[in-house]
Amino acid sequence: MAVNLPLPVAANLKPVPGIELGYAEAGVRKANRKDLLVMKLGEGASVAGVFTQNRFCAAPVQVCKTHLQGLQSGGKGIRALVINTGNANAGTGDAGLANANATCSALAELLGCDASQVLPFSTGVILEPLPVERIVAGMPQAIANLKPDNWYNAAESIMTTDTQPKAASRTVLINGKTVTMTGISKGAGMIKPNMATMLGFLAMDAKVSQPLLERMVKAAADKSFNCITIDGDTSTNDSFMLIATGAGALEVSDADSAEYAQLVAAVTDLSQELAQMIVRDGEGATKLMTITVEEGASIEECRKIAYAIGHSPLVKTAFYASDPNLGRILAAIGYAGVDDLDVARINLWLDDVWVAKNGGRNPDYKEEDGQRVMKQSEITIRVKLARGSESATIWTCDLSHDYVSINADYRS
């Protein structure tokens, strides 16, 4: 069960002018489940994305990168995205690339566009051939129910081990003009930044040039999807896509403008909500942990320490057990790889409880105070390094018996 994560309400997910969504039950891996999603974009939409840095990146990721690079050399704009769950099409070699391209070609023929205008995405089991014939057979059904208000069904269509769909909307007013944005995400395990084992799609009706959108998606991802971890495993298929349909009143063309700053802030805010939904629904998760490292010499070293804490199985299992064995956090800080760290200046808090003072146990710390905080479903770990003015925050979850069970039975 997800940690303090209510189900999205379909009626609250706002249609974004310029994009339609349709789903199908294609039987990619299992029958009688939504497992194929088509997003159709209107003329003039711009699309940008960030992808996994796993060297074994999946065939659809490679095709997406190629099609997006084509935009830089005068290629036609992206008109559709196609996403399947149940099969990752990763570790599949040349045949996997051929299947990803065949998927694009099939959808392009049905929609009347070029194959290079379609972006493919897959998620699921690695090292198995993509059943491309089932995906192609399901496309007419997905196209038949294309609707602007299909966001809830879209969120369900991309789930793997997720226990619930993940979706959210925003309406923001920028320079007197309304911008509508809605996003969906999926992911529950094999989560680690650059990116996580996740898919994320966020659409807005603002008009944003391609170069600015590429800058915006990287900025938003860096503060959201690249700030979450569940188990320290980086997947082969991770993708976060930002879509600007251009169907609304706001147009942004200057990175130094107030409009750009406000828009990227709104996109980042929604991206953080979608990213945190993934952590809240982490496989077997019972607690959400926010880890903030402050007073660092650089953001990089702050993140390095935050991830050392967030990836530690000993820390994560202690939080699952509500056991204030907090020396494990100090150990993780110490092995994070900041070689010149002065541990005698480290201070550590658990929510409002000052645990470690100047590198040692705070004389005023009481075990029962730590126990009180550890029993909460949401906990903040705060570390001060006394090295500078930089800071970083990541989000993670605990590690439970259910995590092992879910991943031991994943292919069953």
Side-chain angles (χ1 to χ4, degrees):
M1 183 176 178
V3 180
N4 299 334
L5 181 60
L7 278 169
V9 177
N12 294 340
L13 300 175
K14 304 176 186 300
V16 177
I19 182 171
E20 296 178 299
L21 308 97
Y23 66 93
E25 296 180 0
V28 175
R29 183 168 181 82
K30 297 180 180 179
N32 303 315
R33 65 162 292 176
K34 299 167 187 171
D35 57 5
L36 180 64
L37 174 64
V38 171
M39 296 182 175
K40 182 182 177 183
L41 311 182
E43 292 278 2
S46 53
V47 182
V50 289
F51 301 92
T52 181
Q53 294 187 25
N54 191 313
R55 291 297 300 161
F56 250 116
C57 71
V61 172
Q62 297 177 54
V63 174
C64 278
K65 288 181 176 181
T66 298
H67 289 184
L68 288 172
Q69 286 169 358
L71 299 178
Q72 299 174 2
S73 55
K76 297 180 180 179
I78 302 301
R79 293 299 308 278
L81 290 72
V82 56
I83 306 105
N84 75 267
T85 186
N87 184 296
N89 193 13
T92 48
D94 291 341
L97 281 171
N99 284 336
N101 282 309
T103 301
C104 294
S105 296
L107 184 59
E109 184 174 352
L110 291 171
L111 295 180
C113 63
D114 294 342
S116 62
Q117 294 179 278
V118 177
L119 300 179
F121 303 85
S122 298
T123 184
V125 178
I126 297 170
L127 207 65
E128 293 188 3
L130 183 74
V132 66
E133 69 287 345
R134 298 179 197 171
I135 293 172
V136 172
M139 287 179 181
Q141 179 188 353
I143 293 172
N145 66 30
L146 282 167
K147 296 189 298 183
D149 61 350
N150 242 346
W151 284 100
Y152 187 91
N153 288 315
E156 288 187 317
S157 300
I158 62 174
M159 292 167 55
T160 47
T161 58
D162 308 64
T163 67
Q164 65 181 70
K166 302 170 177 68
S169 288
R170 292 279 191 285
T171 300
V172 295
L173 191 65
I174 298 176
N175 196 21
K177 298 172 182 176
T178 299
V179 178
T180 301
M181 55 182 66
T182 297
I184 59 175
S185 63
K186 63 79 46 182
M190 207 180 193
I191 299 284
K192 184 195 171 185
N194 296 323
M195 289 190 40
T197 189
M198 46 81 43
L199 296 177
F201 304 93
L202 195 160
M204 58 183 172
D205 60 0
K207 184 175 183 179
V208 184
S209 67
Q210 188 69 35
L212 278 189
L213 198 68
E214 292 171 0
R215 177 172 174 169
M216 189 177 294
V217 72
K218 292 174 182 176
D222 194 47
K223 294 184 178 180
S224 58
F225 292 105
N226 276 337
C227 291
I228 59 175
T229 182
I230 288 177
D231 50 18
D233 266 329
T234 298
S235 177
T236 54
N237 292 62
D238 311 322
S239 308
F240 170 48
M241 309 305 298
L242 183 58
I243 302 163
T245 68
L250 181 70
E251 181 174 357
V252 178
S253 56
D254 182 1
D256 296 322
S257 66
E259 290 83 1
Y260 175 85
Q262 293 174 53
L263 187 60
V264 75
V267 169
T268 300
D269 183 62
L270 181 53
S271 299
Q272 286 181 342
E273 181 176 354
L274 294 168
Q276 288 180 36
M277 287 179 180
I278 292 174
V279 178
R280 291 180 184 277
D281 195 27
E283 290 170 343
T286 69
K287 296 177 182 178
L288 173 73
M289 291 126 68
T290 300
I291 305 173
T292 297
V293 179
E294 304 172 357
E295 298 181 358
S298 66
I299 293 176
E300 180 184 7
E301 74 175 24
C302 291
R303 285 190 170 182
K304 187 178 290 187
I305 289 172
Y307 284 127
I309 298 169
H311 291 157
S312 167
L314 291 178
V315 170
K316 294 162 82 69
T317 50
F319 274 81
Y320 170 65
S322 299
D323 175 20
N325 189 353
L326 302 177
R328 293 178 175 182
I329 298 176
L330 294 184
I333 294 170
Y335 65 60
V338 181
D339 295 335
D340 60 344
L341 187 66
D342 184 355
V343 297
R345 303 181 71 188
I346 298 293
N347 288 277
L348 168 67
W349 284 262
L350 206 61
D351 274 11
D352 61 329
V353 178
W354 195 349
V355 176
K357 183 176 183 179
N358 297 329
R361 182 185 177 111
N362 180 5
D364 296 327
Y365 171 69
K366 298 178 182 178
E367 183 83 359
E368 55 267 31
D369 291 334
Q371 187 78 56
R372 167 179 57 82
V373 175
M374 293 286 277
K375 289 180 179 179
Q376 299 170 181
S377 58
E378 299 193 27
I379 302 167
T380 297
I381 300 167
R382 187 161 62 102
V383 180
K384 285 192 174 184
L385 304 179
R387 289 167 56 85
S389 59
E390 300 294 349
S391 64
T393 298
I394 71 161
W395 297 275
T396 190
C397 60
D398 57 342
L399 189 60
S400 71
H401 303 288
D402 285 345
Y403 175 86
V404 177
S405 299
I406 291 166
N407 281 282
D409 298 335
Y410 182 62
R411 297 206 311 155
S412 301

